[in-house]
Amino acid sequence: MSSELLGEIEKGTRVNSPDASIHDGKEGHDLEKSIYDIGDINIFDPNRPKFKLSRRIAHFTWAWFTLPMSTGGLALLLYAQPHQFPGLRQIGFAVYIANLVIFTCLLAAMTMRFVLHKGTFKTSITHSREAFFVPTFFLAIATIITGTQRYAISEGSESSVWFISALFWGYVAASLFVAIAQYSYVFKTHSLGLQTMMPTWILPIFPIMLSGTIASVIAETQPQMNAIPIIIVGLTCQGLGISVAFMMYAHMVGRLMSRGMPNREHRAGLFMNVGPPAFTALAIIGMANGLPDNLDINMGMVLDMKIIRPIAVVGAIFLWALSLWWFGIAVVSVALSPPQYFHLNWWAMAFPNTGFILATIAIGNELQHEGIRWFASVLSILLVLTYCFVLFSLVRAVVIQDIMYPWRDEDVLDGTDN
């Protein structure tokens, strides 16, 4: 590693250490102005120097896993469409395969970063900003597991059923560890002011919450001896996730009330708030439907099976409304002041909204309401267009070096976090 790059990383570590990571009000924006110029380089100058890949890879952050996270979500959405046409499932399968390739490539690139630039692994998982994106790695795995269930598991394959079950339990263990370990580290190390609250604070609880979504997808194909424990654990994890999300929502609303909307460069992240209630609505319907019809209610079951599914639908509608509200807030926020530069948090316009549409489809199917289904189909088209737009913007940003460039990624605090 060159001495110039070492100096750059040392500056980044100093600026972004926990003790120096919180910048509020005018002081934060004064800092923003002071760090944009690195020596004689203005990072927003279109004619700034171009760097080689070996140097740029140091800024390949965990936030990149929002790409396979969103791609896997798109594959699931295509599979769940209420209005199928010939070839749609094949397109979904192609997206699923593409997601596997993308995930593998990103994993290789992240490994290259840690190998070529010593010390960046520890820095990345303790950083006051980038570390919040570590859970997107596990969210990408969640979409791979659910996509595998939908596209790769053949009916009647006993070995495949047990394989998916093993993946589920492994994922639950890993995501629970992340939820506890990361929040414990943040509570112990960082001093994050309410004025700096961003939806990324929810991300560490997101993977364990999606355990419920995975359970809702795989339970229906599991034998009863496997399905019941999976659904119970899935419901428990989903409840944990949405409960922590509700606590975070209180901080988020307080931050919006006291400080106003986030900086324009981070407003797309508000779409993350759409995800928790949407995926919970989807999960409780899926898990209710995954319960065996012939389940003996005398085996410790508290509720009659005849009322579990209607209660699940009512609860899903309740949560869907909250998701809709956050969706509206995010749309208005971005529309009032669109971001000027591309950031990987733009993928928040894809994955959480995928959950919102999937929940809409699930509710429409349960109510047998064709209007809701067509509404979901229209939203699906808009989401595909959004995905393509964000993907194009990502490729363009990489080519013109708007990202993977010093001081332009999640491995620094750019002063716009307020």
Side-chain angles (χ1 to χ4, degrees):
M1 190 186 308
S2 67
S3 59
E4 182 181 3
L5 182 56
L6 279 171
E8 174 189 309
I9 292 178
E10 288 173 359
K11 287 191 290 183
T13 303
R14 184 180 68 252
V15 172
N16 294 290
S17 64
D19 293 337
S21 65
I22 303 304
H23 315 290
D24 58 295
K26 183 176 181 298
E27 293 180 0
H29 294 284
D30 287 343
L31 177 64
E32 170 186 346
K33 294 176 183 178
S34 67
I35 67 174
Y36 278 173
D37 292 321
I38 307 173
D40 296 329
I41 301 177
N42 183 343
I43 62 172
F44 293 116
D45 182 0
N47 298 316
R48 63 186 178 276
K50 304 300 182 182
F51 296 138
K52 294 181 179 179
L53 180 61
S54 59
R55 181 172 182 178
R56 294 177 64 196
I57 201 70
H59 305 286
F60 190 88
T61 67
W62 289 101
W64 270 86
F65 285 99
T66 54
L67 169 56
M69 178 181 78
S70 300
T71 306
L74 179 61
L76 293 173
L77 182 61
L78 295 176
Y79 185 93
Q81 282 305 296
H83 302 104
Q84 295 283 329
F85 59 81
L88 182 58
R89 289 285 172 85
Q90 286 71 26
I91 294 174
F93 179 72
V95 175
Y96 163 72
I97 295 299
N99 188 46
L100 294 178
V101 174
I102 291 171
F103 181 83
T104 303
C105 292
L106 295 189
L107 189 59
M110 187 64 73
T111 303
M112 185 183 303
R113 172 197 181 188
F114 298 147
V115 170
L116 293 180
H117 304 281
K118 304 297 184 182
T120 52
F121 174 73
K122 181 180 179 180
T123 301
S124 70
I125 63 175
T126 58
H127 192 276
S128 57
R129 181 177 174 188
E130 182 185 357
F132 278 110
F133 288 93
V134 172
T136 61
F137 171 80
F138 295 92
L139 293 175
I141 293 177
T143 65
I144 291 174
I145 295 174
T146 50
T148 300
Q149 173 66 47
R150 292 303 193 202
Y151 289 105
I153 300 299
S154 58
E155 294 185 12
S157 176
E158 185 175 345
S159 59
S160 298
V161 168
W162 284 98
F163 173 71
I164 286 293
S165 177
L167 288 180
F168 170 79
W169 292 111
Y171 178 85
V172 168
S175 58
L176 180 60
F177 173 80
V178 170
I180 295 174
Q182 187 163 11
Y183 277 126
S184 296
Y185 180 81
V186 171
F187 297 158
K188 179 180 181 295
T189 307
H190 297 330
S191 298
L192 302 175
L194 179 63
Q195 71 278 0
T196 66
M197 202 281 172
M198 288 296 291
T200 50
W201 291 12
I202 300 177
L203 281 176
I205 204 65
F206 229 121
I208 190 68
M209 181 172 59
L210 255 65
S211 297
T213 306
I214 297 174
S216 70
V217 172
I218 71 174
E220 60 187 16
T221 61
Q222 294 288 320
Q224 182 169 323
M225 63 177 295
N226 288 354
I228 301 304
I230 286 175
I231 290 175
I232 292 174
V233 171
L235 182 62
T236 302
C237 295
Q238 197 73 41
L240 170 63
I242 193 64
S243 297
V244 174
F246 280 152
M247 290 187 282
M248 291 295 182
Y249 285 161
H251 287 292
M252 190 72 242
V253 172
R255 180 252 192 275
L256 294 174
M257 286 287 193
S258 62
R259 300 287 296 181
M261 292 293 184
N263 182 280
R264 63 188 296 174
E265 299 302 321
H266 301 294
R267 291 192 180 189
L270 288 173
F271 282 102
M272 293 182 194
N273 294 318
V274 176
F279 281 107
T280 303
L282 172 66
I284 60 176
I285 289 179
M287 286 186 284
N289 290 333
L291 287 170
D293 293 327
N294 60 347
L295 182 65
D296 184 356
I297 63 172
N298 295 319
M299 296 177 60
M301 297 296 294
V302 178
L303 297 176
D304 192 320
M305 289 297 299
K306 294 180 180 178
I307 67 171
I308 288 181
R309 286 168 185 148
I311 289 177
V313 174
V314 171
I317 295 173
F318 180 91
L319 292 167
W320 182 90
L322 176 61
S323 187
L324 175 65
W325 183 75
W326 276 118
F327 176 80
I329 294 295
V331 169
V332 171
S333 175
V334 174
L336 289 176
S337 186
Q340 185 176 1
Y341 302 99
F342 176 81
H343 300 278
L344 288 167
N345 67 7
W346 283 24
W347 286 113
M349 295 187 291
F351 182 71
N353 293 335
T354 299
F356 177 68
I357 300 172
L358 287 170
T360 305
I361 294 172
I363 292 171
N365 289 338
E366 291 300 313
L367 299 179
Q368 295 294 303
H369 195 288
E370 197 62 22
I372 296 177
R373 289 168 173 167
W374 277 112
F375 176 62
S377 295
V378 172
L379 291 178
S380 298
I381 295 173
L382 294 176
L383 186 123
V384 170
L385 295 176
T386 300
Y387 177 91
C388 293
F389 169 72
V390 177
L391 181 61
F392 169 79
S393 300
L394 169 62
V395 174
R396 178 179 179 274
V398 172
V399 172
I400 66 176
Q401 299 197 14
D402 267 359
I403 61 174
M404 291 180 64
Y405 195 91
W407 305 101
R408 294 294 295 263
D409 298 272
E410 290 73 23
D411 54 344
V412 298
L413 283 173
D414 59 8
T416 65
D417 295 315
N418 300 300

